[in-house]
Amino acid sequence: MKVTLLGTGTSTGVPMIGCGCRICRSTDPRDKRLRVSVLIEHEERNILIDTSADFRQQMLLHKVTHLEAILYTHSHNDHLAGFDDIRAFQFLMRKAPACYADGPTAAHIRRTFDYAFGAATQAGGGLPEVPLVVIDEQPFDLLGLRIIPVPLIHGMLSILGFRIGGFAYLTDCSEIPEASFPLLEGLDTLVLDGLRHKPHPTHFSISEAVLVAERIAPRITYLTHMNHDVLHKQTERELPESVRLAYDGLSFNLE
Ligand SMILES: [Zn+2]
Ligand SMILES: [Zn+2]
Ligand SMILES: [Zn+2]
């Protein structure tokens, strides 16, 4: 299984529109962050986590020609708004990839993209015809992989992370419920929310994320969903050896 982090930035992306701060002006490619999304390749099949606001750009950049399934963590726009561009895969594959989302996220998708789920208003417009599969906290099998939803707290919301084998993806969280920790035992690679240096009501700060990483104790942790408070080179120097900052395009292989 190959995992590629297609985006590692917070909801605005980095650089942020119109910002002239030193991180937005940084020439280090690791300080350029599209909105968060993950591509998982396994036995010639592709699974995507979230259709980010930069979905189209990410698919073009990584030359993705097929997509068999999409998992959603939650319904915030930075994770969802590429949804309409799923149509490209529908055209290519003659079948849209199935989307897996929890109840509130699926309901939000139906509301936000009502033109795709209600009665057709006009023929010929090319609607996304996406099978929406509602999941709960129970593990399920998808394309030969065991997907374990990991409940997370994101401010006042209850959202999902995912564990697949030795890999776990926990974006957008400010707390991990006690009951989720046993789901995270024996991990190899953890990708964890670490928004910025200062505390935030809906995301782990970098120092909070380091404490969580130390408790979960995977072989390696990569922090993601970072904003323009985080200069890659400088911040990484201050982290423990087993915690690194993710960057767009980072990929790794897992058994
Ligand atoms: Zn900035
Ligand atoms: Zn969010
Ligand atoms: Zn987000």
Side-chain angles (χ1 to χ4, degrees), residues 22-194:
R22 71 185 179 120
I23 290 127
C24 288
R25 285 186 289 111
S26 165
T27 53
D28 185 341
R30 297 170 303 176
D31 288 322
K32 310 279 180 224
R33 305 182 182 117
L34 297 176
R35 271 62 71 87
V36 292
S37 175
V38 179
L39 181 67
I40 296 162
E41 298 166 70
H42 173 67
E43 294 178 349
E44 318 270 299
R45 316 270 190 91
N46 290 330
I47 299 173
L48 188 74
I49 305 182
D50 292 333
T51 49
S52 89
D54 295 311
F55 173 78
R56 177 175 174 276
Q57 191 181 343
Q58 290 163 334
M59 295 301 101
L60 290 172
L61 200 59
H62 292 272
K63 300 184 168 55
V64 181
T65 56
H66 58 99
L67 205 51
E68 276 71 26
I70 298 169
L71 303 172
Y72 281 103
T73 59
H74 67 306
S75 64
H76 283 162
N77 225 45
D78 47 329
H79 300 256
L80 174 63
F83 179 87
D84 189 77
D85 284 317
I86 294 172
R87 284 178 305 136
F89 292 104
Q90 177 180 318
F91 301 150
L92 286 168
M93 304 172 67
R94 304 190 188 286
K95 191 172 125 203
C99 294
Y100 295 78
D102 66 12
T105 304
H108 183 100
I109 292 173
R110 285 179 192 282
R111 276 197 310 278
T112 306
F113 301 94
D114 65 344
Y115 60 88
F117 295 100
T121 47
Q122 178 175 287
L127 299 173
E129 293 167 20
V130 173
L132 201 49
V133 183
V134 178
I135 56 171
D136 53 23
E137 295 168 5
Q138 294 307 310
F140 59 99
D141 293 317
L142 180 62
L143 304 168
L145 292 171
R146 187 77 172 155
I147 313 290
I148 303 173
V150 180
L152 302 173
I153 306 295
H154 179 27
M156 290 165 68
L157 295 178
S158 191
I159 74 152
L160 294 179
F162 296 103
R163 177 177 185 163
I164 306 171
F167 166 63
Y169 183 66
L170 313 180
T171 188
D172 291 59
C173 47
S174 47
E175 189 186 331
I176 298 179
E178 219 33 61
S180 291
F181 279 97
L183 304 174
L184 300 167
E185 282 170 11
L187 276 184
D188 179 88
T189 304
L190 169 64
V191 176
L192 179 65
D193 189 352

